[in-house]
Amino acid sequence: MTEIQSLEKRFQDRIDAEERIEPRDWMPEKYRKTLIRQISQHAHSEVVGMLPEGNWITRAPNLRRKLGLIAKVQDEAGHGLYLYSACETLGISRDEVLDQLHTGKAKYSSIFNYPTLTWADIGAIGWLVDGAAILNQVPLCRCSYGPYARAMVRVCKEESFHQRQGYEIMLTLANGTPEQKEMAQDAINRWWWPSLMMFGPNDSESTHSAQSMAWRIKRFSNDELRQRMVDMIKPQTDILGLTLPDPEIKWNEERGAHDFGEIDWDEFWSVVKGDGPCNKERLAARVKAHEEGQWVRDAALAYAEKQEVRKASDGKTKVA
Amino acid sequence: MQNWPLFEIFLRSKNGLSHKHVGSLHAADADMAITNARDVYTRRKEGVSIWVVESKHITASNPEESESMFDPAEDKVYRHPTFYVLPDELEQM
Ligand SMILES: [Fe+2]
Ligand SMILES: [Fe+2]
């Protein structure tokens, strides 16, 4: 066995024993790269995800809803920060990670490339999109990489309010006027399939899955999690008195799970590749925010440096 | 961001408990790190006190030397109370 092989074996043994890997431990280069890609994409998704919801803050129907939405969007900013920090422990700088987003090299979740057309979309996002995110994120709390797992524990604690506020919005609309109910149904119709797409390609098409499972970065396959999503959301939709836009959805007694229709994979890949309804707009908004914030970052730094100099010279006069 | 140093954040969740590491963030200086840590790490009353330390000031033990570092404690069972054999009729000690 070469030295690298024996290191790799020891690494895998630790993983198999459910030990956590910490930043300064030896790890295979591919493990590091895989995590940098996944954690940074995850962070970008939290940050870009603020855009479609931020769109409705000023138009929330009342103060209660507005407070909830602001708090949720602020949480998403926090999630992005926890994750960027976790990503940096792998030896990549914040600048580099942001650069990858701004130049379009890094991806973020495609769901945020869909527009928020009505207030009901805010309900649908909290309920469906955060619901899907929770299903993805809960197993990540046991991810083999310590800093990622710890960030996920914080994130998951905060997510359940997101989903509940979304569902409450849907419930209110569903029990409102016929127009409001119709608006809620329309939001479900537009968000349901993209939400299912959040779990990624079918297992048979998923390229990184096997290795990520072996490394315990991932605990469940895309299709397993998607099935959980359908089983979780269907009864919740029934309580709303609304329907999912899938005529094939029905309980399968034998499997103890819902059958459901096929995702439009052409749409999935076209949004991933950049041709979704809002890809350009989202990226442009991020770049603009970053560039227009440059003077704030510069000013804060100049101030800090000035304070530092002042402190140093105060020290000198005291000594003299 | 390039020049904003990285700070490690420690929170005391309530008086009587020690500060505990919760994560890190970038800030122009320590004061800003505290302000930002409040917004990032204590939005739900997770802390009553914050410590920030610039990451570069932390010296860590080397994981590659963890065997020589921590294994010596492994075979010292006599440091634990159960190592000492006492009669059954002794009800409390
Ligand atoms: Fe989030
Ligand atoms: Fe969320």
Side-chain angles (χ1 to χ4, degrees):
Chain A
M1 227 194 291
T2 63
E3 201 196 328
I4 193 93
Q5 279 171 326
S6 80
L7 281 168
E8 272 171 6
K9 176 165 185 328
R10 227 178 51 200
F11 177 82
Q12 190 62 50
D13 288 346
R14 291 184 64 194
I15 300 259
D16 293 341
E18 288 293 336
E19 262 185 61
R20 293 292 176 266
I21 307 301
E22 293 296 341
R24 305 216 308 157
D25 294 347
W26 186 88
M27 61 186 83
E29 224 17 63
K30 266 194 70 189
Y31 178 81
R32 183 188 303 276
K33 291 232 170 81
T34 300
L35 278 170
I36 288 178
R37 195 192 61 235
Q38 180 170 336
I39 301 174
S40 65
Q41 283 184 11
H42 195 161
H44 299 328
S45 303
E46 303 283 355
V47 170
V48 176
M50 288 189 281
L51 295 169
E53 293 184 294
N55 181 34
W56 279 91
I57 288 177
T58 55
R59 292 174 287 159
N62 58 49
L63 190 56
R64 185 172 180 275
R65 292 287 183 228
K66 188 169 182 160
L67 285 172
L69 183 57
I70 291 174
K72 177 187 191 292
V73 172
Q74 192 184 7
D75 273 355
E76 305 300 2
H79 298 176
L81 286 170
Y82 308 152
L83 285 161
Y84 281 133
S85 292
C87 195
E88 280 178 279
T89 65
L90 291 157
I92 186 166
S93 72
R94 180 76 59 94
D95 262 352
E96 213 177 322
V97 172
L98 290 182
D99 208 53
Q100 288 175 350
L101 172 66
H102 298 154
T103 55
K105 246 190 275 168
K107 298 247 178 295
Y108 53 85
S109 181
S110 281
I111 192 80
F112 303 117
N113 289 319
Y114 290 86
T116 40
L117 303 178
T118 73
W119 170 251
D121 289 22
I122 298 306
I125 288 180
W127 172 41
L128 298 174
V129 176
D130 288 69
I134 291 170
L135 289 174
N136 268 326
Q137 288 171 158
V138 166
L140 286 171
C141 296
R142 294 186 295 128
C143 163
S144 61
Y145 188 58
Y148 192 24
R150 291 191 287 275
M152 279 302 110
V153 171
R154 300 185 67 84
V155 166
C156 287
K157 266 190 207 148
E158 299 178 355
E159 285 294 349
S160 75
F161 127 68
H162 299 179
Q163 198 185 15
R164 289 174 67 115
Q165 68 95 37
Y167 193 72
E168 199 196 73
I169 291 172
M170 294 305 278
L171 201 60
T172 307
L173 292 172
N175 293 320
T177 64
E179 289 84 356
Q180 286 173 321
K181 188 168 180 179
E182 198 181 308
M183 192 163 92
Q185 183 61 59
D186 169 63
I188 297 179
N189 293 349
R190 284 180 292 107
W191 289 94
W192 171 244
W193 289 108
S195 299
L196 279 192
M197 293 178 198
M198 285 174 72
F199 298 93
N202 283 139
D203 295 348
S204 52
E205 310 288 318
S206 182
T207 40
H208 306 294
S209 279
Q211 183 61 77
S212 285
M213 295 275 235
W215 278 333
R216 314 259 166 114
I217 294 172
K218 220 177 149 137
R219 300 261 172 184
F220 301 99
S221 79
N222 297 353
D223 288 331
E224 275 175 284
L225 292 170
R226 189 164 14 241
Q227 179 70 56
R228 278 187 206 177
M229 173 79 177
V230 177
D231 294 336
M232 170 175 84
I233 295 298
K234 176 65 174 70
Q236 296 174 352
T237 315
D238 295 342
I239 291 173
L240 293 174
L242 299 171
T243 57
L244 295 170
D246 178 358
E248 288 175 53
I249 207 161
K250 67 167 190 294
W251 181 251
N252 181 326
E253 195 63 54
E254 223 168 279
R255 290 202 305 123
H258 291 88
D259 291 335
F260 56 99
E262 192 59 42
I263 284 173
D264 178 353
W265 294 108
D266 291 339
E267 175 181 330
F268 172 81
W269 288 113
S270 101
V271 183
V272 168
K273 289 185 177 128
D275 296 325
C278 301
N279 295 55
K280 289 190 185 68
E281 185 186 330
R282 299 291 183 239
L283 201 56
R286 275 319 311 154
V287 171
K288 180 168 181 275
H290 188 73
E291 283 171 357
E292 292 183 353
Q294 185 63 46
W295 72 269
V296 179
R297 294 190 293 278
D298 291 344
L301 193 64
Y303 176 76
E305 276 163 3
K306 227 182 213 173
Q307 293 292 102
E308 199 55 43
V309 169
R310 195 164 294 165
K311 240 190 258 164
S313 68
D314 280 358
K316 256 178 233 149
T317 48
K318 261 175 217 147
V319 171
Chain B
M1 195 68 78
Q2 206 163 9
N3 303 311
W4 279 21
L6 189 66
F7 288 84
E8 300 301 322
I9 313 301
F10 300 82
L11 286 186
R12 184 201 293 291
S13 56
K14 61 177 189 193
N15 276 6
L17 297 177
S18 308
H19 285 77
K20 197 174 153 214
H21 183 245
V22 290
S24 53
L25 53 76
H26 287 274
D29 60 19
D31 289 335
M32 188 197 239
I34 286 189
T35 315
N36 288 356
R38 190 209 48 177
D39 289 344
V40 177
Y41 292 106
T42 69
R43 287 194 302 284
R44 289 176 178 80
K45 288 229 49 122
E46 290 93 336
V48 296
S49 162
I50 301 173
W51 285 354
V52 303
V53 182
E54 220 183 302
S55 309
K56 68 174 184 200
H57 295 313
I58 290 181
T59 309
S61 63
N62 183 350
E64 256 130 65
E65 286 162 12
S66 65
E67 275 175 30
S68 59
M69 200 68 173
F70 302 111
D71 281 5
E74 209 160 78
D75 56 2
K76 296 185 176 50
V77 281
Y78 49 85
R79 285 180 176 162
H80 297 277
T82 46
F83 178 75
Y84 299 92
V85 185
L86 301 180
D88 288 345
E89 54 270 35
L90 185 76
E91 274 173 11
Q92 272 189 0
M93 178 169 285

